[in-house]
Amino acid sequence: MVGATAGLSLCLALSSCTGVVGQPGTGEPTNTGTGNSGGGMKPSTGMNPPVNIPISASGPISSVASDSTRFPRLTHAQWENTTRDLLRMASVSGLSSTFVAEPLQSAFNNNGSVLNVDQDMREDYQGAAETLAHKVASTPAMLTALTPAAPADAAGKMNAFLKTFGARAFRRPMTDAEVTRYAALFAKGPMLIASGNDFADGVELTVSAFLQSPDFLYRVETSSAVVGGKVPLNDYEIASRLSFGLTNSMPDDTLMAAADAKKLTTHDGLVAEANRLIGAPAVQAAIGDFQTQLMHMADYDAITRDPTQAPLLQTGAPADLRQEALSFMSDVVFTQGKGWNEILTSPYTFANSRVSQLYGLPATTPAAGKPDPFVKVQLDPTQRAGILTQMGFLVSNGVGGTPNIIIRGVHMVRDILCLPLPPPPNMVPALPAIAPNSTNRKRVEELTMNAPCNTCHTAIINPLGFAFENLDGFGKWRTQETNGQPIDATGSYSLDGKSFNFDGPVGLVKNMAASNQAHDCFSQHLIEYLYGRDTDASDADKNLIQQAGMRSQNNTSVKDLMVELVSTESFTTRLP
């Protein structure tokens, strides 16, 4: 099993790969290959014309309209958050756990252009809508929370409910025709449900219908007037983009009021609302979701080790390692207000007793039932630097106690540097066992030294993995292999057209953190997540990424960078 798993990671490059990692001064990847699996900008659709956008490292980001779908469907997480907020529930329902799995065709699962509703998905939505609608109608507190206080007469009460609830469900005011149609459905509630409470029956029937409407399941953008070659979005469409981008949920009442007042089509009004939302707990959850997908933290669930070799990496370890990473990111972004440089290089983490012991730090396991909080702990700055030297990344990319050089390298190539890699060829050979007088590094070098593997492995993938050889498959620091052979974590790499030498993970990470390439890559990922679409090779997207990357490299905080990115013309307009 170990050999098969490791073998899948080999020869990820075809002969089309190039050894040049970056172009001088641009931070842009050089892509001479045909593949683009998991990293790098997607080819342009051809719909974005060449543009001349001023490039500046400070001030508002200059941008132009980009191509995007007019009908992005809610992700399962967005559906959960939106139904919770729409129905004013204390927590999500969890009903999406039985939905058809979402397609994973992009770096992030919220790419609206690949999300649709097939027959199975429609049935999932119908069942969930009926379940939630019945819960609302049969729970007095929930029904009261959604019912306007006035007027008191039955017809007025119905109309007030439909208009207020409908506006929140559709994220825009309802039209008169829609109110009339839903009122006719409301009136059928007493006959079709017949619980004895006519108002509750009407609510149940219409809430179920609202939750199955395309105007709820999709973020429909109806604006179509072309002004200066672009389509400006209206206030409600901007409100939805802003809210789903920053909070992964529907606009709150304050944001809807700003849309009602037409404040969001002004730059100052939009920035003010973005800054307000940045402080909301939902934004911390969204950044956690961004981090979880970027760092492939779902893979932590598969972490398992021989209990005789790693007794701490047993039940509960995946959750603890995930919490370590999330706590660290939250601290850097929201408590300290720092940026990508600190996320990559800070020599500390957050640990409970288990995680502390994994790092070799003193800790006492609390008694059963007692809290085991995650607290800030300092790590050895000669051995650890940021998220790439944290336990979750290291252990999930290890086989037993042995580091998976290639998978660690591929992860950094694709997700930290955004370099494109073609898919692996067929019949990838398995890694051989480490010979008695050899090392993990030597066996990888020998297996990837010849064509077609060497074109990507020698200069692009392997060196990144070699730098982390001091950190074993259990996440521990080591200076020699289990067979006594010394660890060699030295190497050289090229970023921004400049070569540098390193010895170990900290040296490599600090050089990456100083590069245009890493900051452009982080900015590309942030844009893709906030905008809910892939970036492409158009001038518009390249310039947007470059400007955001320049700000990130100049130590702009993640929070400030998010605000800047959601107040650009690229965010508030689209191509016709």
Side-chain angles (χ1 to χ4, degrees), residues 144-186:
T144 299
L146 298 178
T147 305
D153 65 286
K157 189 176 180 181
M158 175 195 68
N159 280 315
F161 166 76
L162 293 176
K163 289 180 179 180
T164 56
F165 185 84
R168 295 176 63 240
F170 292 168
R171 281 89 67 180
R172 60 164 175 79
M174 295 181 72
T175 65
D176 291 341
E178 287 171 333
V179 174
T180 299
R181 188 167 68 250
Y182 275 87
L185 181 63
F186 192 102

Side-chain angles (χ1 to χ4, degrees), residues 395-423:
V395 177
S396 65
N397 294 306
V399 180
T402 304
N404 193 323
I405 289 172
I406 295 172
I407 291 299
R408 288 179 178 182
V410 167
H411 184 2
M412 287 182 271
V413 167
R414 287 177 169 170
D415 303 316
I416 306 301
L417 300 175
C418 288
L419 297 174
L421 287 176

Side-chain angles (χ1 to χ4, degrees), residues 32-63:
T32 60
T34 58
N36 203 353
S37 176
M41 290 184 291
K42 307 298 183 289
S44 175
T45 62
M47 297 184 67
N48 289 341
V51 291
N52 184 18
I53 305 171
I55 300 296
S56 172
S58 60
I61 293 176
S62 301
S63 69

Side-chain angles (χ1 to χ4, degrees), residues 381-383 385 467 489 500-513:
T382 66
Q383 299 178 0
F500 60 89
N501 298 322
F502 58 81
D503 185 357
V506 174
L508 174 66
V509 166
K510 287 186 175 180
N511 275 283
M512 286 198 296

